[in-house]
Amino acid sequence: MGKLDGRVVLVTGAARGQGEQEVRLFRAEGAEVVVADVLDDRGKELADEVGALYVSLDVRREDDWRAAVRAAVDAYGRIDGLVNNAGILRFNTLVDTPLDEFMRIVEVNQLGCFLGIRTVAPVMSDGGTIVNTASYTGMTGMAGVGAYAATKHAVLGLTRVAALELARRGIRVNAMCPGAIDTAMSNPALLDPDVDGEAASRGLDRFYRKVVPLGRIGKPEEVARLALFLSCADSSYITGQPFVIDGGWLAGVSVG
Ligand code: NAD
């Protein structure tokens, strides 16, 4: 028996990275999955491979959300789970961040999460689950990614309020706070066919050894396992909480 047998879960930003691994694991655990992204070719290919439904969904757009929910309900009759995973990262100090860059990050990371909750929760089955992907930078500061960190703090606020408002229907809402994870976001070399992605990953491991107690960058498959935990009955008494998955990075500093 799979941990998600009979459940229908929509994952945003699902064409690659953490979202892709969530799709693969959720399918393996018996869920019907709606793969949602703006990367249509890659998303369709993944959906075809694992037997899921692909929907083109820009999380900033209300119409796209409405169409995605309609497509999910038409195909599977219900929605039991949502993983708000889509996100973008830009590097800039606050004083150098152009307004349009700040707003774009807000639109994808924060507004996208809000629209997901607002559109999906009303049609979600009682007892459903929402998992919002925040970040290590939702729990603490990080110089050079101020706009991103602000949106990820906001995602935790949305998570807590949604948990309070939806609890009467048994809908649980939690957040994941990944540290550095080996996807295109942290390791753009993975997108470059001319670069050895594994060598780039080893380079990142060497870098993160200095700051992450477990001595390596995280894997998207590890985040997917946390998303599964928060989307299935194993977490049945947990709601409104952030879950840090960061190899110990946030635990503190070592002086030795
Ligand atoms: P990624 O860049 O591989 O994946 C992000 C996905 O979001 C892509 O498939 C992209 O097409 C999609 N996306 C971007 N804008 C979108 C939009 N407007 N509408 C719909 N989809 C959109 O990176 P990832 O690491 O898999 O990122 C997943 C989530 O994890 C993000 O929310 C990110 O902020 C968060 N996160 C990542 C890390 C990390 O180190 N990789 C750390 C902490 C949190």
Side-chain angles (χ1 to χ4, degrees), residues 118-169:
R118 200 188 69 178
T119 317
V120 176
V123 297
M124 181 175 271
S125 318
D126 289 0
T129 57
I130 299 176
V131 178
N132 297 323
T133 306
S135 167
Y136 171 99
T137 64
M139 304 288 287
T140 188
M142 186 180 285
V145 295
Y148 179 83
T151 63
K152 294 303 189 178
H153 277 72
V155 166
L156 295 187
L158 287 169
T159 299
R160 293 183 175 111
V161 174
L164 294 170
E165 293 180 355
L166 298 171
R168 65 189 163 75
R169 293 177 48 210

Side-chain angles (χ1 to χ4, degrees), residues 32-48:
E32 300 294 352
V33 178
V34 182
V35 176
D37 209 304
V38 288
L39 298 175
D40 293 338
D41 291 346
R42 195 162 168 164
K44 273 184 203 141
E45 205 177 302
L46 173 65
D48 288 348

